[in-house]
Amino acid sequence: MAARTSISDTSAYLAKVTEAVESDEAFARFRVQPYLAAIFDIVGSTGMQQAFINNHLDVAEKVFPALMSLLGLARLNDTIGGAPVFPTRHGVDLSAATARYFKYLADLRHMFGRLDGWNIVEVGGAYGGLSALMHSTYQGHASHRLYDLPEVNRLAARYHHSLGVSGVSYHTSAELDDGAPVPSDLFISTHALSEINRDLQQVYIDRLVKPARHGYVLYNHFFEDEGSEIMALAEFAAQIPGCKLVADLPFVLQTDARHPSTLIVW
C-alpha cells in the first residue's frame, strides 16, 4: 500500500470525494458532508461562523479596500456544494470558507498588485474555491495550476466546470518526479504545504517553491513536535532566500491559539 502523503490522504475522505464527483446528489451537498466539511469548510455554530465571516471581510476591507466592490461576485462560489451562507455587515450572504478565500485574495492584491499575465501555482487547491474566486472576480492572471490528490482534482474540475471557470489545470505530485522545476510568478499554499510529509514537502520546495518569483504560504504549527515527519516552520522557511515571516494582523487571523499559523511571503 502506498504511504500517505498528507493528513487528508485517508480512504474515508477520498471515498467521499469520489462520491461527490460521481453522484449528482452528493455533489450538490458536498460542502456539508461531514468528512469533507471538516477539511474544506469552517465547521461550528451559526454565531461562530458569522463572526468568522465578518472578521475576515472587515480585515479584507482594511487590507485592500478596492476589492470590496467585487464582493457580490464571491457569492458565486457558494451556489455549488450546499454550504450554509450567512448575512454579513457588507450586504452579501457568504459562507465562511468563501469569506476566508476573499480575505486571501485581498492579501494577494495588497502584496503583489495586479496579477495580469501571471502564472499561478497552488498546492492544496481542495475543491477549487480560491481559484474559482480569482476567476469570478477576474484578477487577470494567465494560468492557475492546482496540485492535489487525483480524486480531489477531479472534484475541483467538476466544481469549476459547474461555475464556468476556465484557465485552471489539475496536477499531482507524481508529475514532478522527473526533477524539472515548474517556474511561476506566484506560488500559493494555504496550510496544505504544512500538512504533508517531509519528503513530499521537499519535492514541492525544489520543483515549485524555489522557481516561483513570489510566494504566499500559510504555514500552521500542528506538527512541530520533535520527530515529526513534517518540517517545522524554521526549517521550511530557511530554504526560501529573502522570505519574510508574518504572524500578526492584518495578514494572519489567528483562529486557534493552540495552533497558530505564520505567513511566509516573498
Side-chain angles (χ1 to χ4, degrees), residues 5-6 123 192-198 200-201 204 229-230:
T5 59
S6 72
V123 166
L193 207 54
S194 53
E195 298 176 355
I196 58 179
N197 66 52
R198 175 183 297 271
L200 186 53
Q201 282 182 305
Y204 280 135
E229 295 183 359
I230 297 174

Side-chain angles (χ1 to χ4, degrees), residues 95-158:
S95 71
T98 297
R100 178 178 58 185
Y101 286 135
F102 194 84
K103 191 271 178 186
Y104 293 160
L105 183 54
D107 289 349
L108 296 174
R109 289 299 308 273
H110 172 88
M111 293 175 178
F112 307 116
R114 294 192 63 84
L115 306 177
D116 291 351
W118 282 30
N119 294 300
I120 296 171
V121 166
E122 182 182 356
V123 166
Y127 66 91
L130 178 58
S131 46
L133 180 62
M134 294 180 74
H135 179 275
S136 65
T137 58
Y138 186 60
Q139 299 306 307
H141 51 291
S143 67
H144 200 128
R145 298 170 63 94
L146 296 184
Y147 285 82
D148 213 313
L149 298 167
E151 297 88 342
V152 182
N153 282 338
R154 291 177 61 210
L155 178 59
R158 180 168 186 182

Side-chain angles (χ1 to χ4, degrees), residues 198-237:
R198 175 183 297 271
D199 290 343
L200 186 53
Q201 282 182 305
Q202 194 62 57
V203 170
Y204 280 135
I205 290 170
D206 293 337
R207 310 291 190 268
L208 302 181
V209 172
K210 290 180 178 179
R213 290 198 303 123
H214 300 286
Y216 178 95
V217 175
L218 271 168
Y219 207 89
N220 69 39
H221 298 251
F222 283 120
F223 308 104
E224 294 203 343
D225 297 335
E226 184 176 354
S228 172
E229 295 183 359
I230 297 174
M231 293 183 191
L233 171 67
E235 180 183 359
F236 183 92

Side-chain angles (χ1 to χ4, degrees), residues 41-50 84 86:
D41 276 271
I42 309 301
V43 179
S45 67
T46 295
M48 186 278 285
Q49 292 192 64
Q50 287 180 313
F86 302 93

